[in-house]
């Protein structure tokens, strides 16, 4: 089993948390970070980034954003550039999350442009892929995942500048999870598809996260799999105990 890749446990807070709640959560996570061996990443809503940064400063806990624009500056009301995210100290940005694809109509092409902006500003892009329930029922999971990898990851991907998060849309926030067999197969296929795009060497290095209803109770069976290099956590990232509980399950 190749667990030479350091696992990454990323908390996607989505559109949750007040300033006080976010700071308290970050403080609790920072205080327990030394108890886990994986890398920890917090992705709060953009207005909280500076507040959470004040809590994570000087710790090993990383900070990331949930989105960025594909330009570095300009007339884009309401958007945030990867350049500014890097400037305030972010190391990561989540791109192409299914909620952005659904709520904002983001296409693979737009996701790829944002990934390029992230790389241009030395941010690691966490690129989200995953099938809907109807695509799964139609037996299209592997072809959907392959198409998203081909379309959302521009040339130049490496194991260092990219993390892939496989998140079946039907598992997000639903309490439902795929079978361990399916995750095994889909993550292996994802690594193969990444190898075709970026080369076998980079594919050995790239971290592939599983996301969708991960909890302390079900995390260890997924995190133990050879091609699962951590998790992207939504609901369970809002409680320090659950988030650290999942992180503690990393082999
Ligand atoms: P969930 O969300 O853990 O609440 O299912 C995961 C995600 O959307 O990243």
């Amino acid at each position: 089993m190749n667990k030479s890749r350091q696992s990454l446990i990323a908390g996607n807070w989505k559109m949750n948390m007040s300033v006080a709640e976010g700071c308290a959560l970050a403080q609790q996570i920072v205080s327990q970070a030394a108890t886990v061996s994986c890398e920890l990443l917090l992705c709060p809503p953009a207005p909280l980034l500076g507040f959470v940064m004040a809590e994570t400063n000087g710790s090993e806990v990383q900070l990331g954003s949930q989105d960025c624009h594909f330009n570095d500056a300009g007339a884009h009301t309401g958007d945030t550039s990867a350049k500014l995210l890097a400037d305030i100290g972010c190391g990561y940005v989540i791109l192409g999350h299914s909620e952005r694809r659904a709520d904002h109509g983001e296409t693979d092409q737009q996701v790829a442009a944002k990934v390029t902006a992230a790389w241009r500003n030395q941010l690691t892009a966490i690129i989200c892929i995953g099938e809907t329930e109807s695509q799964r029922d139609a037996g299209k999971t592997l072809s959907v995942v392959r198409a998203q990898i081909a379309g959302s990851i521009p040339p130049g991907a490496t194991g260092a500048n990219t993390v892939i998060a496989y998140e079946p849309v039907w598992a997000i926030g639903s309490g439902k999870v795929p079978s361990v067999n399916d995750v095994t197969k889909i993550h292996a296929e994802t690594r193969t598809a990444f190898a075709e795009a970026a080369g076998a060497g980079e594919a050995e290095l790239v971290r592939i996260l599983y996301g969708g209803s991960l909890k302390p109770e079900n995390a260890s069976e997924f995190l133990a799999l050879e091609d699962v290099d951590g998790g992207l956590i939504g609901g369970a990232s809002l409680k320090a105990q659950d988030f650290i509980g999942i992180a503690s399950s990393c082999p």
Side-chain angles (χ1 to χ4, degrees):
M1 178 176 290
N2 183 351
K3 283 287 176 183
S4 57
R5 298 176 290 266
Q6 190 193 16
S7 295
L8 171 65
I9 297 294
N12 174 9
W13 293 4
K14 307 193 178 182
M15 202 172 71
N16 295 300
M17 294 279 131
S18 65
V19 173
E21 289 164 347
C23 289
L25 177 58
Q27 253 171 39
Q28 289 164 16
I29 290 168
V30 165
S31 72
Q32 296 175 70
T35 66
V36 300
S37 58
C38 61
E39 184 180 352
L40 296 177
L41 168 66
L42 306 181
C43 300
L48 287 189
L49 283 166
F51 294 98
V52 173
M53 172 71 66
E55 305 298 338
T56 58
N57 247 338
S59 81
E60 295 290 309
V61 178
Q62 299 287 313
L63 198 67
S65 176
Q66 299 172 14
D67 182 43
C68 71
H69 196 269
F70 52 82
N71 282 336
D72 285 350
H76 303 289
T77 303
D79 280 311
T80 304
S81 70
K83 189 174 185 184
L84 180 58
L85 294 171
D87 191 28
I88 68 165
C90 287
Y92 289 86
V93 57
I94 298 171
L95 293 171
H97 190 281
S98 63
E99 286 152 16
R100 298 233 30 113
R101 292 179 189 261
D103 295 354
H104 301 273
E106 283 189 13
T107 62
D108 284 345
Q109 203 181 11
Q110 287 166 332
V111 173
K114 292 179 175 200
V115 172
T116 302
W119 292 346
R120 189 166 64 231
N121 291 285
Q122 286 72 52
L123 296 180
T124 298
I126 301 178
I127 304 168
C128 302
I129 57 171
E131 81 287 359
T132 62
E133 190 154 34
S134 60
Q135 288 167 331
R136 180 197 62 169
D137 292 346
K140 292 185 177 153
T141 297
L142 290 180
S143 62
V144 166
V145 162
R146 275 192 160 270
Q148 287 173 331
I149 292 171
S152 307
I153 306 184
T158 69
N161 67 18
T162 300
V163 172
I164 300 175
Y166 168 61
E167 300 202 300
V169 179
W170 52 270
I172 294 176
S174 65
K176 293 190 260 180
V177 288
S179 69
V180 166
N181 271 350
D182 282 349
V183 172
T184 303
K185 202 163 58 187
I186 296 160
H187 277 237
E189 185 75 11
T190 297
R191 199 174 299 284
T192 301
F194 189 83
E196 285 161 16
E202 297 304 330
E204 266 310 301
L205 299 173
V206 75
R207 291 180 291 183
I208 305 174
L209 313 183
Y210 169 75
S213 295
L214 268 186
K215 298 185 170 36
E217 301 76 47
N218 63 16
S220 38
E221 57 180 349
F222 293 108
L223 295 174
L225 299 175
E226 182 176 342
D227 283 312
V228 176
D229 307 304
L232 181 54
I233 326 293
S237 75
L238 301 177
K239 282 198 185 130
Q241 199 186 351
D242 289 348
F243 187 64
I244 294 292
I246 293 172
S248 308
S249 309
C250 287

